[in-house]
Amino acid sequence: MKVDRHGRAKILSQTEIQLLLGKGLQTERDRALFAVALFSACRINEACTLLTQDVYDTQRQVRPYLLIRKANTKGQLDTRTIPIIEDLRSILATYQPVAGDVYLFPGRFNVGHINPDSAARIFRKASRWAGIEGASTHSFRRTALTQMSNAGIPLRVIAA
């Protein structure tokens, strides 16, 4: 459990996830950002730097997969495609970014993408509101990977 930003990110319970996505995160953008982090098990920087075209097609429909580009991954090793499950699809269909935005989650004044530190501030505020201690933006990744492991998905598949 993280205390004062030290330690391991908390693994979120289903109740905590529902509380955060349901009411803790105030805007559609924030819900979409953290839903992407949860349902794709990506790092917060990878979610923040997604391009609109990585998630939506030219008709503004949610693609069957999202694309995490090699340049935005931690080790810059390989581009990944991650299937979009129905729960995430409905959140992304509701979100619908502004037409013409390059980044899925634009930054302040629509310049660049949202900064991962800004995303972390949003998450801390939502966590305080929900009464969740020890969670961080990395909790979504850790939760998703733990759920996959508990479901019996081989480590080789999870690591890919």
Side-chain angles (χ1 to χ4, degrees):
M1 178 159 112
K2 279 198 174 205
V3 177
D4 294 329
R5 299 173 60 119
H6 298 285
R8 297 179 108 181
K10 175 182 177 143
I11 296 172
L12 300 168
S13 70
Q14 202 60 35
T15 304
E16 291 168 329
I17 292 168
Q18 289 173 345
L19 194 56
L20 284 168
L21 293 179
K23 294 186 181 175
L25 297 163
Q26 300 294 310
T27 67
E28 293 298 330
R29 182 204 63 188
D30 297 345
R31 281 187 208 96
L33 173 62
F34 290 105
V36 165
L38 174 66
F39 292 117
S40 70
C42 69
R43 293 172 180 86
I44 195 64
N45 186 60
E46 294 168 344
C48 288
T49 57
L50 280 171
L51 301 178
T52 302
Q53 68 184 19
D54 295 342
V55 177
Y56 297 96
D57 63 20
T58 54
Q59 284 79 41
R60 300 184 52 78
Q61 299 296 313
V62 179
R63 294 182 185 276
Y65 60 89
L66 64 86
L67 187 71
I68 298 184
R69 295 170 186 265
K70 174 182 175 177
N72 298 333
T73 62
K74 183 176 180 182
Q76 298 182 341
L77 299 175
D78 204 9
T79 296
R80 299 190 319 261
T81 55
I82 300 169
I84 295 178
I85 65 168
E86 195 53 43
D87 290 344
L88 178 57
R89 178 176 304 286
S90 65
I91 291 170
L92 290 170
T94 302
Y95 171 53
Q96 288 294 329
V98 176
D101 278 346
V102 174
Y103 288 100
L104 182 59
F105 304 109
R108 197 170 185 190
F109 309 116
N110 290 330
V111 176
H113 58 77
I114 187 172
N115 188 299
D117 291 336
S118 297
R121 274 192 299 279
I122 292 165
F123 181 75
R124 282 193 299 273
K125 182 179 176 183
S127 294
R128 277 193 304 273
W129 180 89
I132 299 170
E133 290 185 30
S136 70
T137 55
H138 199 69
S139 293
F140 290 107
R141 178 173 168 80
R142 191 151 185 255
T143 299
L145 296 173
T146 300
Q147 288 175 346
M148 284 189 256
S149 178
N150 290 346
I153 296 172
L155 188 56
R156 192 178 300 155
V157 174
I158 295 170

